[in-house]
Amino acid sequence: MIKGLAITTVWVLDQDRAKEFYTEKLGMEVRTDLRMGGEDGMRWLTVGAKDQPDVELTLMVPGPPGMDPEAGEALKQLVSKGLMGAGVLRTDDVKADYAALKAKGVEFLQEPQERPYGTEAIFRDDSGNWFSLTQPGEELDLSKGWGDCVE
């Protein structure tokens, strides 16, 4: 039986730059950083929030060995144009995190705004992926999931 989400992929253009962005700007920690198949093999790089040890983001460059070169180039174009939404990062103080991340040079597309589900700011990572930085509203019971805010 499925127990939950463990790892999800975020497509990036450069793993070294992404590692720096996710750890030094967002404050995540490196969970795994290794080469499979020797020095020229695929790099398996994962990061995660320090308070959530059971969920990881794998920062992967599109292309071989997981996909053909043509598909990899097409996906790189989508990422670099900012067309890939990578997800929602939950916070307990979106306004303070917005100010701190902005001071570190994180590009925000939207400053914190009130939504039916809480307060949300939108930012891009160093590759162009966008994330929602969300502080759930007090009335939102996350034990039921995010869907209970939709009528």
Side-chain angles (χ1 to χ4, degrees), residues 2-122:
I2 295 173
K3 300 290 184 181
L5 179 67
I7 300 173
T8 191
T9 300
V10 176
W11 298 108
V12 299
L13 303 177
D14 180 289
Q15 285 178 305
D16 289 327
R17 264 193 7 237
K19 179 180 177 181
E20 181 180 324
F21 180 87
Y22 283 83
T23 58
E24 294 180 18
K25 292 191 177 181
L26 299 186
M28 293 187 179
E29 62 186 10
V30 173
R31 303 280 173 76
T32 307
D33 189 356
L34 61 90
R35 292 253 179 218
M36 297 181 179
E39 193 61 33
D40 294 330
M42 181 186 85
R43 183 177 179 190
W44 183 254
L45 173 61
T46 68
V47 297
K50 293 175 183 171
D51 292 337
Q52 193 176 28
D54 57 335
V55 177
E56 299 177 59
L57 304 176
T58 181
L59 306 175
M60 298 294 293
V61 176
M67 65 182 68
D68 66 74
E70 185 178 310
E73 287 304 314
L75 188 49
K76 285 178 188 177
Q77 289 295 317
L78 293 173
V79 170
S80 68
K81 290 180 180 184
L83 298 175
M84 303 293 287
V88 177
L89 300 177
R90 189 173 62 227
T91 179
D92 56 1
D93 191 342
V94 70
K95 292 178 181 175
D97 287 344
Y98 167 81
L101 293 173
K102 192 166 179 143
K104 291 181 178 182
V106 174
E107 175 193 0
F108 277 85
L109 304 175
Q110 172 194 293
E111 62 186 40
Q113 295 184 7
E114 297 299 320
R115 303 282 185 226
Y117 44 83
T119 308
E120 172 186 61
I122 307 287

Side-chain angles (χ1 to χ4, degrees), residues 132-151:
S132 167
L133 179 64
T134 300
Q135 178 180 343
E138 291 181 22
E139 67 283 352
L140 183 60
D141 179 0
L142 289 181
S143 68
K144 298 176 185 173
W146 291 82
D148 68 339
C149 68
V150 180
E151 296 180 10

